[in-house]
Amino acid sequence: MRSISRTGLISGTGLVIAGLTATLVALVFPVWSYADRSGTGLDALNAQSVSTRFGPLSALDREFITKVRLAGLWELPAGQQAQERGTTQAVRTAGEHLIEGHTFLDARVRDVAARLNLELPNQPNPQQRQWLATLDASHGTEYDRQFANLLRKAHGKVFSVVAQVRANTRNSLVRDLADDANTTVLDHIKVLEATGYVDFDALAEDAATASPPPLTNSPAPPGPTQSPDSPAPVTPSAGYSLPPAASRPNPSATS
């Protein structure tokens, strides 16, 4: 009986020691994992940021500038097409807002890019070209539905990016551009929803199932750059115009 008690005591002591060890590891692990490790979010932010006279320019800032330009490269011709093909006044009005908003934003982003010595893309990306092709192949009420939902989905995604940039950027030019983009994107969201064709269930399901977007290569930081190639506009077949091509920033603009 005495032997059994001694064994139980030893087992109990072992459990206590094991518990204390686990607790100590749990307390030490976060300190080792985060506080004393290099490559944290702050390290990445500093490594990917460049200095400008308008404040540090982060990788997210540069990606945002590129996305503003890309948005205009397909949404401006889409708006022009909607004015031609829209079967309701609400769709045609949404097209008018897209034209006005992205004409304004494209001028703004070109000015910001020139002052930061950044180059901009000259044509829509592959996904945006596919969206334009989808619109080009649609007619009647189906066109109205495709237009409203494709554009509303795209604006919803960029809206969250604008908010993140506006909340966190340390660059005054990017901050002002984000203010303008926020106003414009919200206006476009409202007029697209006013068409009555937006499928909100599909938007919610898409957001719930979407995987995190892959990291993209940001444009080069300020410095000597080459002029971009001649633009290769991708537009609906009716020949709608794109914003003017991006050109090499004027060196005097950064002085």
Side-chain angles (χ1 to χ4, degrees):
M1 190 73 176
R2 186 176 300 171
S3 175
I4 294 175
S5 299
R6 184 179 298 113
T7 302
L9 179 61
I10 293 173
S11 299
T13 303
L15 289 174
V16 172
I17 293 174
L20 291 173
T21 302
T23 302
L24 181 61
V25 170
L27 292 172
V28 172
F29 180 77
V31 177
W32 171 84
S33 298
Y34 301 102
D36 297 331
R37 284 180 63 187
S38 60
T40 61
L42 182 58
D43 292 328
L45 174 65
N46 293 331
Q48 296 173 3
S49 296
V50 292
S51 297
T52 78
R53 65 189 182 93
F54 305 101
L57 187 70
S58 71
L60 180 60
D61 293 338
R62 298 193 296 274
E63 184 173 3
F64 166 66
I65 291 170
T66 298
K67 285 185 175 180
V68 172
R69 169 67 175 179
L70 282 170
L73 288 174
W74 85 279
E75 292 179 26
L76 181 62
Q80 292 171 320
Q81 188 185 62
Q83 286 195 308
E84 296 285 337
R85 292 195 187 181
T87 66
T88 69
Q89 183 57 49
V91 171
R92 293 191 290 271
T93 296
E96 181 181 359
H97 278 240
L98 289 177
I99 294 170
E100 293 179 354
H102 285 291
T103 297
F104 166 71
L105 275 186
D106 194 72
R108 286 282 289 112
V109 75
R110 287 165 59 81
D111 175 68
V112 168
R115 298 172 75 179
L116 295 173
N117 205 25
L118 295 174
E119 289 185 4
L120 296 172
N122 288 325
Q123 58 181 320
N125 64 32
Q127 183 180 52
Q128 292 167 336
R129 292 197 292 271
Q130 181 58 50
W131 288 336
L132 286 172
T134 297
L135 292 176
D136 196 34
S138 302
H139 300 276
T141 302
E142 177 61 19
Y143 175 85
D144 294 341
R145 183 174 292 104
Q146 291 282 8
F147 169 79
N149 284 283
L150 285 175
L151 272 297
R152 174 58 179 82
K153 180 178 178 180
H155 279 80
K157 289 183 176 180
V158 77
F159 196 46
S160 61
V161 175
V162 174
Q164 182 182 4
V165 170
R166 180 60 181 84
N168 299 310
T169 186
R170 296 173 289 173
N171 188 281
S172 61
L173 289 182
V174 174
R175 191 176 301 117
D176 290 342
L177 179 63
D179 283 340
D180 291 334
N182 182 71
T183 300
T184 302
V185 171
L186 182 57
D187 171 72
H188 292 175
I189 285 175
K190 290 180 176 179
V191 294
L192 288 165
E193 292 174 351
T195 65
Y197 286 106
V198 172
D199 187 341
F200 291 99
D201 289 337
L203 290 174
E205 291 171 5
D206 179 74
T209 59
S211 58
L215 294 176
T216 58
N217 292 324
S218 298
T225 56
Q226 295 180 348
S227 297
D229 295 333
S230 298
V234 178
T235 66
S237 59
Y240 301 99
S241 62
L242 285 171
S247 58
R248 181 168 181 163
N250 183 354
S252 62
T254 61
S255 60

